Each structure stands twice: as C-alpha cells, then as structure tokens.
Amino acid sequence: MVMSPAVNTYPLSSYTFGSKEAKIEKDTSVADRLARMKTNYVKEGMRTSVEGILLVQEHNHPHILLLQIGNTFCKLPGGRLKPGENEIEGLKRKLSSKLAANSSNLQPNWQIGECVATWWRPNFETIMYPYCPPHISKPKECKRLYLIHLSEKEYFAVPKNLKLLAVPLFELYDNVQRYGPVISTIPQQLSRFQFNMINNETNDK
Amino acid sequence: MNNSQLFNYTHGSSTSTDDGSQVEAIKIYGLSNYYFYSKPAPPLKNQTLEERISCLKTRYDVCGIRTCVEAVILVELSKTPQLLLLQLRNSTYKLPGGRLRPGESDIEGLKRKLTNKLSVHSDGILPDWEVGECLGRWWRVGFETLLLPYLPPNVRSPKECRKIFLVKLPERQKFTVPKTHKLLAVPLSQLHENHEIYGPVISGVPQLLSKFPIETASR
C-alpha cells in the first residue's frame, strides 16, 4: 500500500500558553485592508502571504490552532512577506511574531513542512480561488498554506488582544459561513496525511 | 518586484520547502494530443442508490472496508488545465477508478482500473500509467452516509475509504472509452465549489491541486 506522509500530533495539554503585548491590526475594516493592499501593490507588486497550519490533538482527533480577533473573525497565524523574502524564512518570522515570546531564548524551532494549498486573489476584493483564474495575468495576492510540524512541548505567547483556539477538523469541514473558504477546506487538504496521535504518558492510549 | 517569478501558473517555476525539496510542476499537454476511441462495454451494474448500498453491505460482510482508488488526470484546453471526467447516462460524473480487490495495492489497482476504463489491451501490452502522489482521502462512516475528508472521532469501522491520486499523462496517448460512458474535459474553474453538479470529491479537486505549479507544454 502507498504510505501516507505522517504528522505527529500531541495533546493540547502538552503546550504552554502565555500572553504578550497586543498586536494591533493595521486595518480596522475590510475596506481599509483592501485599500492598503492597493497602495502596497503599486509600490511592491503582487503580495505573497504565508500561513501556518499548526496541529494538536484532542480525543484523538486533529485540531488546528486559529487566532481569533474580536468575537468572530478567525485567521491562521502568518502574514505578508517582505519584498524578495524567502517563503520559509518569512513564515518563521511571522509565526514568531504572532506566537512566540519576545525573549530570544524562548523562540520555538519552527519546523516548516510542505505547502498544502495555494490561493490567488485576482482583484482588490475579498474573493480568492485555489488557481489563478483564466485571463488574469496580474493577480493581486498569492497566499500559501504550509503544514507546521510541532514538537512535543512548546511555549506560545499569544498577543493579549487575540485568542488562540484549537478547532477540530470536523468543525471546520464545510463551515464556510464561520471560517471562510480557505480555512473550511483545510480538512480536505490534510486528508492525505496520516496523523499519529501521541498521548501523554499519564493518559490512556 | 517581478510578478512573474511568483506567478507560477504558466511560468512553471517550482517552490522549495524547508528541507530543500521542490514541489514538482505538473506538465500538461493539449487535449488534441490525445485520441479517443469507443469500445463495447459490459452492462452497467448497481445503478440505483439502493443497489449500491446493498452491494456495499454484502461485500463489507465478506471483505471488510472497501477501498476505492481514483485518478486526477489533467489536460490543457483553451490555455487552462482541465480535468478528465467520465459521465454516465448524462448525469453522474466520476473520476476514472474503482474498487480494489482484496489484497491488491493502491497503485496496482488504480492501473488496472484505468486500463479497464480508459484503455485497451492490444498485443498484450498494457499502457504504463504514471501514478503520482495521493492528493486526498475520503471516508464513508456508515453504509448510507456521506463521504468525509477525515475519520470522525470514535469511529472504529468505516465502511469505505476512497483515495484520490494524481496520474500524469505522457505527451500522446490513445484512450478507449466504454460505450456506456462519455469522457469529458472540465476546466478547474467550473469544478470549484460546484458541489451540486459534481459532488464534494470532484468539486474539491482544484484545491487539492493548488499547491502544484501547472506547466502547459508549449507547441
């Protein structure tokens, strides 16, 4: 049989969560965000953003870590690359910015796995597609989602104004209303992986 | 900044992961490179939902979980990548593939099914299908339930597992399609989010392909 690539997932309880100073969002509305994207596009060309899929397990089911802003809006940790920045280096930088403590001796050693999906934004609008639509020669953004391999213990420092949630795959699947088309389709993109659910010694296997 | 270096749709650049491995581009060739013939077909079985569920139950008692393997095969038409689909009697769309025999490996089974559905044994020479990576998997928890892209918690005995593989075509090939089926090429943009017509497995194929740069072979 073809072996599926494996991902070790550890219980949520094996991670420690602290908090750090708030990371204020640069844009207060969708309109602001799209306007800023336009300004940056004129200066720097197409935006490339990178986001990380961090997995934990609870009750032997994979859960994805999401950052919640306010009461509803959820996003994956990640963000925009600087012009010319390498995707892997940029993703590590963004993950540390969103989830690592500020002191340098507590930096997680981010293990960036494979890219599982690419989404394209053809215009300065919210809609994105998992392919560059025909007849679009100048897409405005390319977003790449990467699987992150977490080690057994990590210390995460979450900005005070954000909540870190662990959401099960079954809750995300087909739930476009709540999570949007990029996050709600992650279960399909992860379906090829074999999840090794690793329990703490104190739990029953 | 040069847009074209990251715009990997037609420019065919590949991307690196942390360990330096490249995501290999999928090379696709124009639909006109391929020849399609028709062949006689055995009568179709299990046409109604009831018949299919009943067959799944009977076989499950004998063989356990059913494993199906299906192929994602791409061609180029009108400068866009298109997925090959089989259509039965003007309604159901399917990816080429089918059920594995007990003890058969995924790759062997897929090659066998592709040869049955899309090819002909001429002079005993079997076509050499190039089966790439598994793109995704779907599970059926109960005999009558929908497919899901994960195994729900506490499910010990799923009834079916369906694996979707990328299959790469050579530059030229002859296909023979059973008379009971039509072979279609459908653009990815038509499949995306179109659950109603194509179902969740086929309409989800564009996302499973999204990490690959797709290179159109130029003439």
Side-chain angles (χ1 to χ4, degrees):
Chain A
M1 287 290 169
V2 175
M3 295 308 294
S4 315
V7 181
N8 289 335
T9 51
Y10 301 94
L12 188 55
S13 57
S14 82
Y15 301 102
T16 320
F17 300 93
S19 90
K20 62 180 183 182
E21 77 285 353
K23 272 223 177 303
I24 306 299
E25 292 294 299
K26 295 197 183 92
D27 313 299
T28 48
S29 68
V30 172
D32 279 351
R33 198 162 144 257
L34 296 174
R36 186 164 64 92
M37 196 183 293
K38 217 175 201 166
T39 317
N40 285 331
Y41 182 83
V42 170
K43 280 191 291 182
E44 299 166 356
M46 182 184 77
R47 162 183 297 200
T48 304
S49 44
V50 284
E51 297 185 346
I53 298 173
L54 287 76
L55 291 156
V56 300
Q57 66 98 344
E58 280 296 288
H59 311 299
N60 289 325
H61 186 70
H63 289 56
I64 294 182
L65 296 184
L66 294 178
L67 289 165
Q68 185 176 303
I69 302 166
N71 285 333
T72 47
F73 186 70
C74 285
K75 55 181 197 172
L76 290 166
R80 180 167 69 100
L81 293 184
K82 296 178 176 152
E85 187 176 25
N86 169 271
E87 287 186 17
I88 306 296
E89 294 311 310
L91 183 51
K92 290 182 180 178
R93 174 176 66 81
K94 281 295 180 184
L95 290 174
S96 291
S97 159
K98 295 273 158 53
L99 292 175
N102 290 334
S103 64
S104 56
N105 60 345
L106 287 173
Q107 290 297 303
N109 180 14
W110 300 111
Q111 300 297 315
I112 313 293
E114 47 179 286
C115 173
V116 300
T118 306
W119 290 81
W120 300 87
R121 190 190 304 275
N123 303 305
F124 295 114
E125 288 164 1
T126 51
I127 195 160
M128 297 188 85
Y129 298 94
Y131 48 82
C132 192
H135 318 304
I136 299 289
S137 56
K138 294 195 160 84
K140 305 302 178 284
E141 179 177 357
C142 173
K143 180 186 294 217
R144 296 174 64 80
L145 270 57
Y146 283 88
L147 186 62
I148 311 296
H149 293 274
L150 291 179
S151 55
E152 190 171 357
K153 296 203 175 308
E154 299 279 4
Y155 174 72
F156 295 120
V158 182
K160 271 205 288 269
N161 60 324
L162 301 176
K163 269 203 294 219
L164 188 65
L165 310 174
V167 185
L169 293 188
F170 63 74
E171 161 75 11
L172 296 178
Y173 175 59
D174 218 20
N175 199 343
V176 184
Q177 299 271 46
R178 173 84 176 83
Y179 298 103
V182 173
I183 295 177
S184 66
T185 53
I186 290 176
Q188 291 92 304
Q189 291 147 5
L190 296 183
S191 65
R192 52 190 286 259
F193 294 101
Q194 183 62 42
F195 293 105
N196 296 333
M197 311 286 180
I198 300 177
N199 287 299
N200 290 330
E201 301 90 59
T202 48
N203 290 354
D204 294 328
K205 290 242 166 79
Chain B
M1 169 151 138
N2 183 2
N3 281 355
S4 68
Q5 76 195 62
L6 290 173
F7 179 36
N8 56 20
Y9 175 63
T10 53
H11 295 260
S13 58
S14 45
T15 49
S16 306
T17 55
D18 201 26
D19 59 5
S21 63
Q22 306 277 341
V23 176
E24 210 186 303
I26 302 174
K27 289 202 185 70
I28 61 175
Y29 302 95
L31 185 56
S32 60
N33 281 23
Y34 304 104
Y35 294 88
F36 299 92
Y37 303 93
S38 175
K39 65 181 176 186
L44 294 169
K45 302 178 285 197
N46 296 330
Q47 284 306 289
T48 66
L49 184 58
E50 292 78 17
E51 282 171 341
R52 282 201 294 274
I53 293 173
S54 162
C55 177
L56 185 56
K57 277 184 178 152
T58 318
R59 287 194 193 274
Y60 184 81
D61 287 337
V62 176
C63 317
I65 184 176
R66 162 181 295 192
T67 306
C68 291
V69 284
E70 295 185 343
V72 163
I73 302 175
L74 296 173
V75 297
E76 173 264 321
L77 186 61
S78 314
K79 298 197 172 76
T80 62
Q82 313 225 351
L83 179 66
L84 290 189
L85 289 180
L86 289 167
Q87 189 184 25
L88 282 112
R89 297 193 306 170
N90 295 334
S91 54
T92 330
Y93 294 92
K94 299 201 307 185
L95 290 169
R99 181 171 56 89
L100 292 185
R101 292 174 178 154
E104 191 176 31
S105 83
D106 293 344
I107 310 270
E108 274 167 19
L110 185 55
K111 289 184 177 183
R112 175 176 64 82
K113 281 294 180 185
L114 289 176
T115 303
N116 280 352
K117 293 268 159 61
L118 294 178
S119 192
V120 65
H121 306 244
S122 52
D123 311 322
I125 301 168
L126 290 179
D128 190 23
W129 298 100
E130 189 185 336
V131 179
E133 60 177 88
C134 174
L135 299 175
R137 297 186 289 175
W138 294 80
W139 283 270
R140 196 186 298 282
V141 171
F143 292 112
E144 300 178 39
T145 58
L146 302 172
L147 290 168
L148 297 172
Y150 53 82
L151 209 46
N154 305 322
V155 169
R156 298 262 172 265
S157 14
K159 306 300 179 280
E160 177 179 345
C161 176
R162 193 178 294 196
K163 302 182 193 180
I164 315 296
F165 286 89
L166 181 63
V167 171
K168 299 184 187 182
L169 290 183
E171 192 173 350
R172 294 186 187 287
Q173 186 150 323
K174 287 185 199 163
F175 291 103
T176 55
V177 183
K179 277 196 163 62
T180 41
H181 293 69
K182 268 200 297 209
L183 186 66
L184 309 172
V186 183
L188 297 187
S189 51
Q190 194 170 314
L191 300 174
H192 177 55
E193 290 182 335
N194 203 341
H195 303 186
E196 282 185 14
I197 298 189
Y198 299 104
V201 177
I202 294 176
S203 64
V205 164
Q207 289 151 21
L208 299 181
L209 290 174
S210 67
K211 69 179 199 185
F212 296 101
I214 298 180
E215 253 174 50
T216 323
S218 48
R219 284 163 205 262

